[in-house]
């Protein structure tokens, strides 16, 4: 099956989460039969134990059935509230575990400090202490306006 065929089949498919572990493909097909003609029901199972994982994919004959099946989101199936969303296509080369940064054990900006200290002493973040707030609301924290004379608040 080519990538284009797979994407087209995925566009006609839904993900069903929180499926009861004893559910059969026939029961799922019957639950979603009113949404349209069902081509395939796939209940995923653990490859080592063979037990169901608790979710399934349902492929319909047409894309309109996917929109119709969204009405069954949060419906009860075998006493459990199921989650129904359109199936997404896994594209080759894009991993769900790859978050865009290297899996290194060092911190980029922290210097030699532990992570808590790096956050406090880092030049890139402000320390979490009390800030001086001048009376008068939302004025600049850098001091009085340039036109006003400077009056220190802690002078004797």
């Amino acid at each position: 099956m080519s990538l284009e065929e797979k994407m087209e089949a995925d566009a006609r498919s839904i993900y069903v989460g929180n499926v009861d572990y004893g559910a059969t493909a026939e029961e799922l097909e019957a639950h979603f039969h009113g949404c349209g003609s069902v081509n395939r029901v796939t209940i995923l199972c653990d490859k080592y134990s063979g037990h169901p994982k608790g979710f399934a994919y349902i492929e319909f004959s047409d894309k309109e059935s996917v929109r119709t099946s969204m009405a069954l989101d949060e419906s009860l199936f075998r006493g459990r509230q199921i989650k129904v969303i359109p199936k997404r296509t896994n594209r080759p080369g894009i991993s769900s575990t790859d978050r865009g940064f290297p899996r290194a054990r060092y911190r980029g900006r922290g210097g030699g400090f532990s992570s808590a200290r790096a956050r406090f002493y880092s030049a890139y973040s402000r320390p979490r202490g009390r800030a001086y707030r001048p009376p008068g609301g939302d004025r600049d924290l850098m001091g009085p306006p340039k036109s006003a004379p400077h009056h220190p608040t802690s002078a004797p």
Side-chain angles (χ1 to χ4, degrees):
M1 179 181 259
S2 72
L3 180 63
E4 288 79 18
E5 290 171 330
K6 184 169 172 26
M7 288 176 70
E8 198 273 324
D10 286 351
R12 293 182 280 113
S13 303
I14 58 170
Y15 163 88
V16 184
N18 200 25
V19 175
D20 184 67
Y21 294 117
T24 64
E26 291 79 20
E27 289 172 323
L28 275 168
E29 182 178 1
H31 188 74
F32 286 93
H33 185 70
C35 300
S37 177
V38 176
N39 281 358
R40 180 186 315 158
V41 176
T42 307
I43 299 175
L44 274 81
C45 296
D46 181 78
K47 65 180 172 183
Y48 298 110
S49 67
H51 297 300
K53 288 186 173 184
F55 63 93
Y57 294 107
I58 299 176
E59 181 186 321
F60 293 101
S61 298
D62 54 39
K63 293 180 183 180
E64 188 58 38
S65 300
V66 172
R67 283 189 279 281
T68 310
S69 67
M70 292 300 118
L72 292 176
D73 185 27
E74 299 183 357
S75 66
L76 284 179
F77 174 71
R78 292 190 67 159
R80 298 180 77 164
Q81 194 174 29
I82 58 173
K83 180 74 178 161
V84 180
I85 57 172
K87 184 177 189 287
R88 62 178 177 82
T89 302
N90 286 331
R91 294 191 302 276
I94 298 178
S95 168
S96 62
T97 57
D98 181 19
R99 300 287 182 234
F101 53 85
R103 289 177 141 320
R105 295 182 62 89
Y106 63 88
R107 292 262 186 215
R109 301 192 268 192
F113 299 111
S114 69
S115 62
R117 283 183 152 182
R119 220 179 301 121
F120 189 77
Y121 289 109
S122 173
Y124 297 101
S125 64
R126 296 167 70 181
R128 296 181 188 179
R130 290 186 178 170
Y132 168 70
R133 304 226 185 262
D138 297 321
R139 289 188 1 213
D140 187 15
L141 294 179
M142 299 302 289
K146 297 214 185 293
S147 61
H150 178 64
H151 296 289
T153 56
S154 61

